[in-house]
Amino acid sequence: MNVFIAFSLILGLFSLQACTNSSTKQNRNLTDTAKTSDSLAISTSDSTTSLISPKTDSSKGQIFLVRSYRIWEKEDPTAVLNKDWYDLYEENGQYYLDKVDFEVKDGFDDCAQVATKSVESRRNSLLFLKLKGLKTGALEHLKINQSEIWPKESVQYTFKNQKIALKALGDIKSTEVQTDENGHEKVFHEVANYKLNYSSINGNKEKTLFQVNQYDHVFMSTLFVGDIDRDGALDFIFSNPKNYEEEAMLLFLSNHGNPLMFEAEEQFDC
């Protein structure tokens, strides 16, 4: 009887060890699977486009909208302007860079019931810029092939044997026909989950210039295509308000292969 009990105990120990080994093997397989999944996720992430975030550090550069500004709590946005700023302006179809020539006028916003400061340029200015390395004079620029780039559309530019593509992604929620101030009809889409990608046709990795979750009765448009920093590569200026009570511009600067994005915006909601 004692021999039988001892034999049963031995069999039990062998069974317990087998279960433990099986459990350990399963845990090891689960761990290996997790590592594989993590590796795949990292690889997938690395293969997607990278977002060029707008610069908030003013020491690296700034852009400034030539417009009227509301003065909230005595904070004057126009106070940053001085002789170090450059003016990107158009004259007879040609674009130029020169030192700013402007005046600031006091005013009052009846809607917001606050004082205003209006920056009025003495030129046909597109944008004021404060960036290192800029030089005055005429700028090389290209005719804008297509101002608005709707989802699933792509626009290409060729400059100094370089081919650049701007490709749009997103969702069109609704479509309508609108009539502009000149009586011309045009198709307008309400767009969500928008993303504008930039790539070289030569095969460089795509970069995301900007993305917008939802446009509210407005949409992006291309305002300038040319070489602002004179590095032989294209720079872009986009109008990119998120809603109809906002003015916003983005400057994509090629910056000798180290691209930068600068943003300026101003709300005028009532």
Side-chain angles (χ1 to χ4, degrees):
M1 188 69 176
N2 291 336
V3 173
F4 177 76
I5 294 174
F7 182 71
S8 298
L9 288 174
I10 292 173
L11 285 178
L13 289 173
F14 275 120
S15 297
L16 179 61
Q17 183 175 4
C19 290
T20 302
N21 289 340
S22 176
S23 176
T24 302
K25 184 176 181 180
Q26 287 180 344
N27 288 338
R28 187 180 297 116
N29 289 338
L30 288 172
T31 303
D32 292 342
T33 302
K35 289 181 179 178
T36 303
S37 298
D38 289 344
S39 176
L40 179 61
I42 293 171
S43 174
T44 302
S45 177
D46 289 344
S47 67
T48 60
T49 59
S50 56
L51 175 64
I52 304 176
S53 300
K55 292 294 179 183
T56 56
D57 184 356
S58 60
S59 66
K60 296 182 182 298
Q62 293 175 269
I63 62 174
F64 189 90
L65 302 175
V66 184
R67 55 161 294 119
S68 175
Y69 290 86
R70 294 170 174 173
I71 308 302
W72 299 104
E73 297 180 355
K74 298 183 180 181
E75 292 187 6
D76 181 3
T78 69
V80 300
L81 295 176
N82 54 40
K83 60 182 179 62
D84 295 328
W85 285 76
Y86 287 83
D87 181 6
L88 173 57
Y89 66 97
E90 182 269 336
E91 184 177 301
N92 299 321
Q94 175 62 55
Y95 285 92
Y96 300 87
L97 270 181
D98 206 340
K99 289 302 181 79
V100 291
D101 185 9
F102 68 97
E103 62 178 322
V104 178
K105 294 183 178 180
D106 294 329
F108 188 80
D109 189 312
D110 292 325
C111 175
Q113 292 293 300
V114 295
T116 62
K117 296 279 188 179
S118 296
V119 177
E120 297 185 3
S121 174
R122 295 184 175 89
R123 308 186 183 100
N124 183 27
S125 302
L126 175 60
L127 195 66
F128 286 175
L129 311 92
K130 187 178 181 182
L131 304 168
K132 295 179 180 179
L134 294 183
K135 296 179 181 179
T136 60
L139 295 175
E140 293 183 273
H141 75 285
L142 300 180
K143 180 182 178 181
I144 295 174
N145 294 339
Q146 180 178 326
S147 176
E148 298 167 326
I149 310 175
W150 299 103
K152 299 182 181 179
E153 292 183 345
S154 179
V155 179
Q156 296 184 6
Y157 292 95
T158 301
F159 182 71
K160 296 183 182 298
N161 298 320
Q162 306 165 34
K163 293 184 178 181
I164 302 299
L166 300 178
K167 182 174 67 175
L169 305 172
D171 303 320
I172 294 178
K173 298 297 186 180
S174 63
T175 301
E176 63 183 50
V177 177
Q178 297 182 345
T179 303
D180 62 20
E181 61 273 11
N182 298 318
H184 299 145
E185 291 186 344
K186 59 182 295 187
V187 174
F188 180 82
H189 305 290
E190 284 290 342
V191 175
N193 305 315
Y194 186 80
K195 182 186 293 187
L196 186 66
N197 289 345
Y198 165 100
S199 65
S200 169
I201 305 300
N202 300 331
N204 292 346
K205 184 178 178 181
E206 283 190 355
K207 297 182 182 297
T208 297
L209 299 186
F210 59 87
Q211 51 193 25
V212 177
N213 292 334
Q214 177 72 53
Y215 284 105
D216 183 8
H217 296 89
V218 291
F219 192 58
M220 62 78 64
S221 62
T222 309
L223 301 180
F224 175 85
V225 181
D227 189 5
I228 297 173
D229 56 8
R230 305 180 195 275
D231 65 348
L234 285 180
D235 309 309
F236 295 86
I237 296 177
F238 303 99
S239 171
N240 194 41
K242 314 305 184 296
N243 61 74
Y244 60 91
E245 294 180 314
E246 176 186 65
E247 181 180 1
M249 286 193 193
L250 289 171
L251 165 63
F252 167 74
L253 202 66
S254 53
N255 190 40
H256 303 275
N258 299 299
L260 297 172
M261 184 73 79
F262 297 93
E263 182 176 28
E265 61 183 13
E266 179 69 10
Q267 299 284 337
F268 50 87
D269 54 305
C270 190

